[in-house]
Amino acid sequence: MDQQFYEEVQEPVSPPGQYFNSSVICSYVFGFLEMAVPIDDSQTIPLLKDVFLPINPRFSSIMVRDQDGRMKWKRVQVKPEEHVKVPKFPECNSPELYDQYFGDYVTRILTERTPQNKPLWEIHIINYPTSNAAGTLIFKLHHALGDGYSLMGALLSCLQRSDDPSLPLTFPSRTSSNSQQAKKSMFKKLPSFISSFFNSMSDFGSSLIKTRMIVDDKTPLRSGYEGTVSMPFTLSHISLYIDNIKAIKSKLGVTINDVITGLIFYGIRLYMQEIDRMARKANSTCVVMLNTRNVRGYQSVKEMQKSKVKGLWGNKISFLQVPIPKLGQSKISNPLEFIWNARKQIKKKRRSFSVYLIGLLLDLEMKIRGPEAVAKIIYKTLRNSSVVISNLFGPMEQMTLANHPISGLYFTMTGGPENVDITIMSYVKVIRITLRTLKGFVDEQKFKFCIEKAYDVMFKAAMEISETPNKN
């Protein structure tokens, strides 16, 4: 590799990239590909060299500080074999035992940091059968490299449709909730604009107070312990059929996200009540992560590069702080009210400008006090809350990677002080809810059971409705 390779213009590390790789937060995104057949790992190194590394220069870069003290991405020579981990489990004939080995291995790598003197990613090849797959491929990618949107774009560049590789993968449509609003005259929009303005000021003020002063109550899902980032976490999963979620959606006149968020909120309260009855009335907040790009649907890396919208790759995220309804409230006696409540809260906050005001405030804080100070604000926001939720919508068609059919797809995140992370991802006809919970504090099986119970109760209640209620 010639010297010119190392002396090319270095890309500055974005502010979010610096927040997520600081002394306060070191965050990773884990993508799990469940294979329907055993993995042929002889193809790994060629695929990394020919397909993965060319996706984005950051996969071949490390973070360095220049002479002026600014963080830059510096291209380096990559040795792919140093980034590939292939664990050895004790031989056995039991998928259930391999489930345990797999779970223990994942628990360990969730808290391990990748070396800073190498590009910030790893590939873990689990070539043992579990209850869900013949083998599992784990992508461990530092959050500084990009967010879920970027990484899904990277997947689009690596994966193909099983039915016809020449056709592009397709994703669930995302219709704009503001399409009708845009058709209104300025005069008719004025009351809505005034309402949004005051809601924005209120949300912005409450977010600042929540971040800096107000802390959620301690509950069976929020220990209040310091230093939980380095403690062991475990993963558990819930799989729901998209058609059943759509049936609830149609009956209630809401969105799929409303249904998923509402049933998770209800499941959270059921679990709290199961462990400690008083916790059902505790003050608890959920941080909902948002993609702030002004685009619809995912784009492959090539499409991102061609797009007129600049800066599609990277971290373009913000968050909403949504209060979790209490079981003790009289209005929440009907479980379906959790869905309508979630819809009302998120719809109101999405229409608010507070997300952008918070972004401007963080940018100002970055310029005045630097990335460590902003990382502390984000850390404190997560620490003062109870649960973090993030969702991605995946392909509607079955995929393959190097002729390996993919039977399942899910992800999780690490690096924050919260005790519970909930990630949601759709793939073909299934929605996978992944629970990352603090080991030894959260009873993950009981928590999983409570969310499944919430779904069963809500599905039954929704199917008994003869007419769609007007709850908008």
Side-chain angles (χ1 to χ4, degrees):
M1 199 69 66
D2 60 33
Q3 188 65 24
Q4 183 180 359
F5 179 84
Y6 297 101
E7 293 178 353
E8 63 183 62
V9 176
Q10 297 173 352
E11 178 193 4
V13 178
S14 67
Q18 296 181 60
Y19 311 155
F20 290 127
N21 193 23
S22 65
S23 64
V24 182
I25 299 175
C26 184
S27 182
Y28 292 88
V29 178
F30 287 76
F32 295 77
L33 299 180
E34 294 177 334
M35 302 298 182
V37 298
I39 300 170
D40 177 9
D41 56 12
S42 66
Q43 303 181 58
T44 304
I45 301 302
L47 279 171
L48 290 175
K49 288 181 177 179
D50 300 336
V51 179
F52 181 74
L53 291 178
I55 287 174
N56 192 279
R58 294 185 190 178
F59 294 147
S60 303
S61 304
I62 62 173
M63 283 189 185
V64 297
R65 196 176 296 277
D66 67 12
Q67 294 178 346
D68 298 321
R70 294 171 296 193
M71 297 299 293
K72 298 286 185 71
W73 289 106
K74 177 186 176 182
R75 294 290 292 272
V76 296
Q77 188 172 4
V78 182
K79 297 179 180 178
E81 60 275 7
E82 294 181 352
H83 296 260
V84 178
K85 312 294 180 182
V86 185
K88 296 294 182 183
F89 295 164
E91 293 294 334
C92 67
N93 295 318
S94 168
E96 290 76 18
L97 199 52
Y98 279 133
D99 284 345
Q100 182 180 330
Y101 296 148
F102 177 81
D104 292 343
Y105 183 79
V106 169
T107 292
R108 179 166 62 81
I109 65 173
L110 287 177
T111 54
E112 290 179 343
R113 293 195 175 197
T114 53
Q116 293 287 315
N117 61 348
K118 298 176 184 176
L120 302 172
W121 58 269
E122 289 178 349
I123 307 293
H124 297 257
I125 301 174
I126 316 297
N127 216 349
Y128 295 95
T130 61
S131 300
N132 296 320
T136 307
L137 200 62
I138 306 174
F139 288 80
K140 181 177 183 177
L141 305 167
H142 201 293
H143 217 316
L145 297 170
D147 57 16
Y149 179 94
S150 298
L151 301 175
M152 181 56 68
L155 275 181
L156 277 172
S157 303
C158 298
L159 304 174
Q160 296 177 315
R161 283 177 59 155
S162 297
D163 56 349
D164 188 343
S166 66
L167 295 175
L169 293 165
T170 61
F171 296 82
S173 61
R174 300 180 71 187
T175 55
S176 171
S177 60
N178 296 320
S179 56
Q180 295 299 320
Q181 188 74 9
K183 296 178 182 179
K184 293 182 179 180
S185 67
M186 286 300 296
F187 179 77
K188 291 182 179 180
K189 285 182 181 179
L190 186 60
S192 177
F193 176 80
I194 294 173
S195 175
S196 293
F197 175 80
F198 284 108
N199 284 337
S200 299
M201 293 301 103
S202 175
D203 283 346
F204 181 58
S206 63
S207 292
L208 290 181
I209 294 172
K210 173 67 181 170
T211 298
R212 299 174 187 274
M213 298 173 60
I214 300 178
V215 180
D216 276 5
D217 294 334
K218 292 182 180 180
T219 67
L221 291 180
R222 183 180 181 276
S223 65
Y225 302 153
E226 290 289 344
T228 57
V229 173
S230 58
M231 293 181 181
F233 282 76
T234 188
L235 298 185
S236 52
H237 308 276
I238 299 162
S239 294
L240 305 175
Y241 287 110
I242 288 180
D243 288 346
N244 290 346
I245 299 297
K246 286 181 176 179
I248 300 174
K249 162 187 171 288
S250 299
K251 282 283 189 175
L252 303 187
V254 297
T255 68
I256 288 178
N257 279 344
D258 296 334
V259 175
I260 296 294
T261 306
L263 78 86
I264 287 174
F265 282 1
Y266 185 44
I268 284 172
R269 286 301 185 186
L270 290 178
Y271 175 78
M272 288 182 177
Q273 179 176 253
E274 184 77 16
I275 304 298
D276 177 5
R277 185 169 178 78
M278 295 304 296
R280 66 198 181 106
K281 296 184 180 181
N283 292 316
S284 299
T285 308
C286 174
V287 174
V288 180
M289 306 305 294
L290 292 177
N291 169 24
T292 59
R293 294 170 179 82
N294 189 28
V295 293
R296 293 184 189 177
Y298 294 115
Q299 295 181 324
S300 68
V301 174
K302 288 183 180 179
E303 290 171 329
M304 288 185 197
Q305 292 168 344
K306 293 178 182 178
S307 176
K308 295 180 181 179
V309 181
K310 300 297 182 183
L312 289 181
W313 184 277
N315 284 288
K316 306 292 181 182
I317 55 176
S318 189
F319 56 84
L320 299 177
Q321 294 168 294
V322 182
I324 300 173
K326 302 174 183 179
L327 271 179
Q329 294 174 347
S330 58
K331 292 181 180 179
I332 308 297
S333 56
N334 176 3
L336 296 179
E337 290 288 348
F338 273 83
I339 296 176
W340 287 312
N341 184 281
R343 175 178 175 79
K344 179 181 177 182
Q345 291 282 349
I346 293 175
K347 194 174 180 181
K348 175 185 172 185
K349 289 180 179 290
R350 276 187 177 275
R351 288 177 173 175
S352 164
F353 308 128
S354 64
V355 168
Y356 303 100
L357 293 174
I358 290 170
L360 291 173
L361 182 66
L362 293 180
D363 288 344
L364 181 62
E365 192 89 22
M366 172 74 178
K367 292 175 182 177
I368 297 173
R369 300 178 60 197
E372 292 286 327
V374 179
K376 287 178 181 178
I377 293 173
I378 296 172
Y379 183 93
K380 197 170 183 181
T381 300
L382 299 176
R383 185 191 66 191
N384 291 354
S385 302
S386 298
V387 179
V388 174
I389 293 181
S390 181
N391 74 81
L392 293 172
F393 53 97
M396 298 173 67
E397 298 87 17
Q398 201 87 25
M399 301 183 296
T400 62
L401 174 62
N403 297 318
H404 290 67
I406 297 170
S407 57
L409 178 65
Y410 62 97
F411 77 105
T412 192
M413 307 172 297
T414 65
E418 66 277 4
N419 297 162
V420 178
D421 264 304
I422 301 176
T423 53
I424 303 111
M425 188 158 199
S426 65
Y427 177 50
V428 192
K429 295 184 178 181
V430 174
I431 290 177
R432 178 82 73 95
I433 301 174
T434 300
L435 312 174
R436 185 183 73 95
T437 52
L438 184 60
K439 195 170 185 176
F441 175 70
V442 178
D443 184 334
E444 67 270 14
Q445 292 306 315
K446 187 168 287 186
F447 187 30
K448 174 182 172 181
F449 171 79
C450 287
I451 293 181
E452 289 173 334
K453 180 180 178 182
Y455 163 74
D456 291 339
V457 169
M458 287 180 166
F459 183 79
K460 182 180 179 182
M463 294 306 101
E464 292 175 350
I465 294 176
S466 57
E467 185 176 342
T468 301
N470 183 11
K471 291 279 185 174
N472 292 323

